[in-house]
Amino acid sequence: MMRAWGMSALRGVRGAHVWGTIAATAMLAAALLAWAVITPGMRGPDEPNHVAVAVDLFETGAYPPPGTAPFPASVRASYPWFGFPGAAEVFSSAGPVGALPDDAPTLRDLRDENPTADAAMTNQITQHPPLYYLALAGAIHAFGLADVPVTQAILALRLVTAAMLLPIPALIATTCRRLRLPPAAILAASFIPAAWIQFAHINVLVGNGALLALTCTLALALMVRVVTGDLTVRTGVALGFALAAALWTKGYALALLPLAIFVYLWRWRADRARIWPPMLAGAAVAALGLVWYVGALLVHGSLQPTAGPPKVIVFAWEPLLTWIGVFARDLSGSMWMNLGWLETPIRPAALHIAASLIALALAAYGAWRLRDRPAVIVLLVGAILLTVLIFAVGSARHWLWNGTIRAAQGRYLHGAVLAVAVMIAAGLPRARWIAVAAPSAAALSVLAGAVFGVRHFWEDASLSYVVAAWPAGGIVLVLAVMLLIGGIIVGTVAASRLPPSGSRSRTVDDIARDGAATARSG
C-alpha cells in the first residue's frame, strides 16, 4: 500500500507539473496573440528598423555595415496602413490609431513607391548579428509574405517571433525541478512570463529580443544542469549551440560566457577528470558565436560598432552620479508596463519603483533560500547583473558624451527571465494555494495589460478597430481568449493535484525517494 501511495503521489505531482506547464504555455500564447493585434503595426521599439532589415535581407540578400542599411521603400510606404507616422516622428506625432485603410497592398507592390517618411534615416540595427533577421527573411520566403497584404505579412512576422518564446515556461519549470524547488513554486514559476506584461508585449513585436530570450533561457537552463552535476558531452555540446545562437542574436549574450566558464570550473573541484570532454566540446561549438564579434573588432574596432566618428567622452564624477539616479528610474519605469515606444510611463513613479523593489526583495529572498547551492546563486544573480553591467556601461558613456539617457530599458533583461523566475519562485511561500492562485493571477495580469493597451493604442476601445486593422484579427483574439480560459482551467486543476499545504516542503525528488525506499523495504 505504501509503495502504491508513493508512486501514485509521484505520478500526481509530475502530472500536475506537466499539465501546469502546458497551461502556462497556453496562457503565454494567449498574451502574445492578444498583444500581436492590440499593438498597431510598427508601434514597438525600433520595430520598423527590424522589419526593414529582414525585408532588405529578403529582397537583396545583403546585410550592410552598421549605419549604412537602408529603409526599404516597401516598408516605409506601408506606414499608412498601420497609422504610423514614421520612426523619426513617433515621439512627437504618434497617438491613438483610428480606422485604417482596408486595401493594404503587398510588400512587392510597394517596392517602387517613393515615400517621404524616414527617407533620410539610416538603419543602425545591422550593428547586431544577423541570426534573427535570417530567420525572418526565411519566413518571408517560406510563407510567401512578400505577396500577401502588408498587414498580414507584419502580423505573420509577429507570430513567428511569438513562437520563439513558447518553450520558455517549460524551461523554467524544468530548471526549478532540477533545483528541487517545492511543487507549488515550480508551477507558479512557469506562469511568470505570461504575467509579466512588458515581457509579452515587447517580445511579440518584430525584434531580436524574443530569440535572445529563448537562446539565453536555454543556455541558462543547461548551465544549471551542469552546475548541479550533468557533465555529459551531450549537455556540453547543447550548451555550446545555445551560446552560439545567443551570440549570433545580440551582444548581451556575451554576459553568459563567464558564467559558462564558471559552472565548469565549479564542477572541477569534485569532477576534475570528467569536466574536460564536455567543456572542450561545448567551447568549440560556442566559439562559432564569437566569429561575429572578432570580425566586428577587426573591421570596426568595436564589439558593437556604430556609425559616425568616435565619441569623445570626458569622465566626471558629478554627471555620473546624476546618471545613476536617472538610469535606475528609467530602468524601473520600463520594466513592467511601458507600452509601444515607451509611451506609457507609470505615474506616479512610486508605483513602478514599488513594484521593482518588491520583485527585487522576492528575488533576494529566493537567493537566500538557495544558499545551500552557492554556485546556483552566482549563476542566477550573475545572469542579471552582468547583463545590466553591459548596457549600463553603454548608457553611462552616452550620458557622459551628451547628457541624454539611453539603454535604460527593462526589455534588455528579458534574456535573464529564467533567472528572475527561478529566484522569485524560490522566495514564494510553499503552500499549495500559491500554485492554485497562479493561473488566475497571471490571467488577470494579461487582461489588465490588454485592456490598458487597447485604451492607449486605439481611438475606439471597443476592439472594433483592432479587429479591422488585421487580417483575421478577430480570429486571433478569439483564439487568445480560448487559450486564456483553457490556461486558467487546466492550470488550476493541475495545481489542485499538488500536495496540500501540510506537505509543502516535499519536492518531487522527496516523493520519488520515499517511493523507492518503500519499494526496497517491501
Side-chain angles (χ1 to χ4, degrees):
M1 182 179 298
M2 287 298 294
R3 176 181 178 181
W5 177 89
M7 293 299 102
S8 175
L10 178 58
R11 285 193 295 270
V13 172
R14 284 183 173 165
H17 284 158
V18 170
W19 284 106
T21 301
I22 292 173
T25 304
M27 196 167 292
L28 177 60
L32 295 169
L33 287 173
W35 282 116
V37 293
I38 288 173
T39 311
M42 311 297 177
R43 201 66 178 269
D46 299 325
E47 186 174 27
N49 305 60
H50 293 288
V51 172
V53 172
V55 170
D56 187 52
L57 189 56
F58 166 75
E59 291 179 348
T60 69
Y63 201 74
T68 66
F71 268 80
S74 55
V75 175
R76 293 184 290 111
S78 72
Y79 291 173
W81 283 270
F82 301 111
F84 185 67
E89 301 177 13
V90 65
F91 295 106
S92 59
S93 304
V97 176
L100 295 172
D102 59 1
D103 58 344
T106 69
L107 284 168
R108 200 178 300 277
D109 293 336
L110 293 172
R111 285 182 181 178
D112 297 327
E113 297 294 320
N114 188 28
T116 58
D118 293 339
M121 288 187 66
T122 57
N123 198 344
Q124 185 65 30
I125 293 298
T126 52
Q127 68 181 170
H128 299 301
L131 182 59
Y132 173 75
Y133 309 102
L134 287 169
L136 258 58
I140 295 172
H141 175 76
F143 301 127
L145 299 182
D147 299 304
V148 302
V150 67
T151 49
Q152 182 177 337
I154 297 303
L155 180 58
L157 292 180
R158 285 183 172 184
L159 297 181
V160 169
T161 302
M164 299 175 183
L165 298 169
L166 295 182
I168 288 179
L171 290 169
I172 290 173
T174 300
T175 301
C176 289
R177 193 157 52 245
R178 179 78 180 182
L179 295 174
R180 300 179 60 227
L181 296 188
I186 296 173
L187 194 146
S190 62
F191 281 91
I192 287 177
W196 192 349
I197 295 173
Q198 194 77 359
F199 180 84
H201 162 60
I202 289 295
N203 287 314
V204 75
L205 308 181
V206 179
N208 54 15
L211 184 57
L212 182 71
L214 170 63
T215 52
C216 288
T217 298
L218 177 58
L220 282 172
L222 291 167
M223 286 187 216
V224 169
R225 291 192 63 86
V226 172
V227 85
T228 53
D230 184 349
L231 295 179
T232 60
V233 173
R234 178 178 61 186
T235 297
V237 171
L239 175 57
F241 276 113
L243 289 171
L247 289 166
W248 273 96
T249 302
K250 202 165 187 175
Y252 293 138
L254 290 167
L256 299 179
L257 293 182
L259 298 176
I261 296 171
F262 164 77
V263 295
Y264 277 108
L265 292 181
W266 180 268
R267 297 306 308 179
W268 178 79
R269 303 181 311 155
D271 301 284
R272 298 186 183 187
R274 295 176 57 212
I275 69 164
W276 295 109
M279 184 171 66
L280 293 177
V285 176
L288 298 174
L290 294 175
V291 172
W292 170 269
Y293 301 93
V294 172
L297 276 175
L298 293 177
V299 175
H300 303 287
S302 172
L303 291 174
Q304 184 167 297
T306 57
K311 299 175 182 177
V312 178
I313 299 170
V314 178
F315 179 83
W317 277 110
E318 185 175 351
L320 191 61
L321 292 175
T322 304
W323 164 82
I324 292 174
V326 177
F327 176 82
R329 183 201 64 202
D330 284 13
L331 181 61
S332 173
S334 62
M335 190 71 70
W336 308 112
M337 197 171 65
N338 199 344
L339 306 183
W341 292 65
L342 302 181
E343 303 163 23
T344 62
I346 297 174
R347 299 283 190 251
L351 292 177
H352 68 72
I353 292 173
S356 299
L357 290 176
I358 290 171
L360 186 61
L362 275 174
Y365 181 56
W368 180 80
R369 292 177 76 168
L370 292 169
R371 62 191 181 279
D372 60 331
R373 295 174 178 265
V376 172
I377 296 175
V378 171
L379 176 60
L380 299 179
V381 174
I384 298 172
L385 293 185
L386 290 177
T387 303
V388 172
L389 179 64
I390 289 176
F391 66 80
V393 169
S395 179
R397 286 172 56 85
H398 193 272
W399 179 272
L400 292 173
W401 178 53
N402 70 359
T404 59
I405 193 69
R406 67 176 298 179
Q409 297 189 36
R411 63 190 173 104
Y412 297 149
L413 281 173
H414 291 170
V417 61
L418 180 140
V420 172
V422 170
M423 287 196 294
I424 288 178
L428 292 175
R430 300 182 176 187
R432 182 171 59 184
W433 68 264
I434 285 290
V436 173
S440 296
L444 285 173
S445 180
V446 172
L447 287 172
V451 170
F452 183 80
V454 172
R455 293 174 65 87
H456 170 70
F457 285 124
W458 300 92
E459 290 181 357
D460 184 352
S462 68
L463 292 179
S464 60
Y465 286 168
V466 177
V467 171
W470 305 97
I475 295 175
V476 172
L477 281 177
V478 169
L479 182 57
V481 171
M482 293 174 61
L483 287 169
L484 189 71
I485 295 172
I488 296 172
I489 295 172
V490 174
T492 303
V493 171
S496 68
R497 296 176 60 189
L498 295 175
S501 301
S503 303
R504 61 186 179 275
S505 63
R506 293 171 58 77
T507 67
V508 173
D509 291 335
D510 295 330
I511 296 171
R513 267 199 313 275
D514 290 350
T518 303
R520 286 194 301 270
S521 63

